[in-house]
Amino acid sequence: MTEPDHDGVDLDRPNAVRMYDYYLGGTGNWAMDRALGDRVLAEVPVAPLIGRANLEFLERVVRFCVRNGIDQFLDVGSGGPAVGTVHRIADSLDPASRCVYVDREQVAVAHGQLLLEREGDPERHAIVRADQRDPDAVWRAALGTGVLDRTRPIALIFCAALHFIPNDEPADEIVAGYRKRLPAGSYLAISHATYDDLDVPADYAASIRAAFELYERSGTPAFSRRYDEIASFFGDFEMVEPGVVWLPQWRLDEAPSPVTQKFVARPSISIGWCGVGRKP
Ligand SMILES: C[S@@+](CC[C@H](N)C(=O)[O-])C[C@H]1O[C@@H](n2cnc3c(N)ncnc32)[C@H](O)[C@@H]1O
């Protein structure tokens, strides 16, 4: 096994974004990702549905933001973005919309560059490599693309990304660093995995903990946080109704998908808290 590179990323271990791609039936994953992914799936066979519930939240967020006048997106921890494709959803509603993707993982960023070369507009779409734990670096890299206008509202998205910040690092301070940089009228959208607060049968809760432990073998261990910790990421932002809720509960303004219907009776099976806040 090689040492991680200077950004703490190594290519010799399974990676969360490629495992996520595997659960969702994508092709951007390697044998080692599938091997660890299979062990997670053995513990949590609904992992692909959890991934879908997260993606559907992301899609609803983008539609909500465009409907509320947002035309610029900053998607941090975006992955490729072969899976969560903010620019496609935004473009379908507003062809002048702009989107910058940020991820730390070099393969995801390289794939994202290829994807945007094929289907993006360089004036309106970009992907940069940066570490979400450094708001200043992310901000500089994102604005450095020339795609975003820092004087107008931006939707900043952390979808299934902040749970990769270790519990012993100041996640609250990090997210505050982004909140203070956003212009007034901007939105902050977050989804975050948890094994706390779950209202599920004991054997499912144990499997979720086991899955978190399996991620410790990857280059991207994940860290659970409680409802209060996730709600505090929004600081003094005004929460969009219905506040911080489980993934299948956030603004089901469209006909509920089969995934959402599966989780509706016990939404915490989705193991993801989510919410959207607006900067006053
Ligand atoms: C589970 S994927 C989520 C992808 C997409 N946001 C979605 O919800 O569909 C998590 C992503 O966060 C990225 N990530 C993890 N730690 C990061 C960090 N410190 N800085 C930037 N990206 C990070 C991973 O590389 C991965 O692409």
Side-chain angles (χ1 to χ4, degrees), residues 7 9 15-18 20-21 24 51 54-55 58 75-81 83-85 102-106 108 129-134 138 157-166 178 191 215 219-221:
D7 283 333
V9 180
N15 174 279
V17 73
R18 297 191 304 262
Y20 179 68
D21 177 85
L24 294 172
N54 178 61
L55 271 189
L58 174 63
D75 183 5
V76 180
S78 58
V83 277
T85 46
V102 179
D103 204 279
R104 182 182 64 162
E105 211 269 311
Q106 53 194 322
R129 187 171 175 220
D131 191 316
Q132 65 181 351
R133 295 171 298 174
D134 186 346
V138 167
I157 300 173
F158 289 100
C159 223
L162 293 176
H163 49 238
F164 296 108
I165 300 180
Y178 289 94
S191 67
Y215 271 84
T220 45

Side-chain angles (χ1 to χ4, degrees), residues 179 182-187 234-239 277-280:
R179 286 200 312 270
L182 286 170
S186 291
Y187 287 90
F234 293 97
D236 63 354
F237 280 25
E238 297 155 352
M239 291 311 292
R278 181 177 181 276
K279 183 160 180 169

Side-chain angles (χ1 to χ4, degrees), residues 58 62 73 75 81 84-91 97 99 101 157:
L58 174 63
V62 177
F73 292 85
D75 183 5
T85 46
V86 171
H87 74 284
R88 282 189 204 144
I89 307 161
D91 277 9
S97 64
C99 180
Y101 295 105
I157 300 173

Side-chain angles (χ1 to χ4, degrees), residues 21-266:
D21 177 85
Y22 174 51
Y23 307 148
L24 294 172
T27 53
N29 51 77
W30 301 342
M32 60 184 168
D33 307 309
R34 295 191 287 278
L36 187 59
D38 283 338
R39 295 186 61 186
V40 172
L41 287 169
E43 288 290 347
V44 185
V46 294
L49 292 179
I50 293 173
R52 281 272 154 230
N54 178 61
L55 271 189
E56 290 183 9
F57 164 71
L58 174 63
E59 289 168 11
R60 295 199 296 280
V61 164
V62 177
R63 290 200 295 262
F64 170 87
C65 288
V66 175
R67 278 203 302 271
N68 283 278
I70 294 288
D71 63 358
Q72 354 185 51
F73 292 85
L74 176 54
D75 183 5
V76 180
S78 58
V83 277
T85 46
V86 171
H87 74 284
R88 282 189 204 144
I89 307 161
D91 277 9
S92 71
L93 299 171
D94 176 359
S97 64
R98 292 167 173 264
C99 180
V100 174
Y101 295 105
V102 179
D103 204 279
R104 182 182 64 162
E105 211 269 311
Q106 53 194 322
V107 178
V109 172
H111 281 159
Q113 272 158 351
L114 289 176
L115 182 117
L116 292 180
E117 273 166 29
R118 268 201 319 275
E119 65 176 67
D121 169 350
E123 293 207 346
R124 298 189 299 112
H125 306 125
I127 182 162
V128 291
R129 187 171 175 220
D131 191 316
Q132 65 181 351
R133 295 171 298 174
D134 186 346
D136 189 47
V138 167
W139 203 245
R140 270 188 286 115
L143 292 178
T145 63
V147 165
L148 302 175
D149 175 353
R150 70 167 80 194
T151 66
R152 292 194 307 105
I154 296 170
L156 170 61
I157 300 173
F158 289 100
C159 223
L162 293 176
H163 49 238
F164 296 108
I165 300 180
N167 287 131
D168 59 4
E169 292 190 27
D172 233 354
E173 241 172 70
I174 292 169
V175 181
Y178 289 94
R179 286 200 312 270
K180 81 168 186 218
R181 285 174 172 83
L182 286 170
S186 291
Y187 287 90
L188 170 65
I190 293 172
S191 67
H192 191 299
T194 187
Y195 56 63
D196 298 294
D197 315 319
L198 303 182
D199 173 24
V200 295
D203 56 342
Y204 185 75
S207 298
I208 294 297
R209 277 194 183 251
F212 268 80
E213 279 167 25
L214 284 169
Y215 271 84
E216 285 171 19
R217 296 161 191 248
S218 76
T220 45
F223 300 86
S224 177
R225 287 187 177 82
R226 293 182 178 280
Y227 173 91
D228 287 349
E229 295 173 277
I230 293 158
S232 79
F233 286 147
F234 293 97
D236 63 354
F237 280 25
E238 297 155 352
M239 291 311 292
V240 169
E241 286 297 319
V244 175
V245 291
W246 296 110
L247 288 167
Q249 294 178 316
W250 196 82
R251 297 185 85 90
L252 302 178
D253 47 354
E254 316 262 326
S257 75
V259 171
T260 303
Q261 278 166 355
K262 259 200 152 61
F263 286 143
V264 138
R266 243 196 170 130

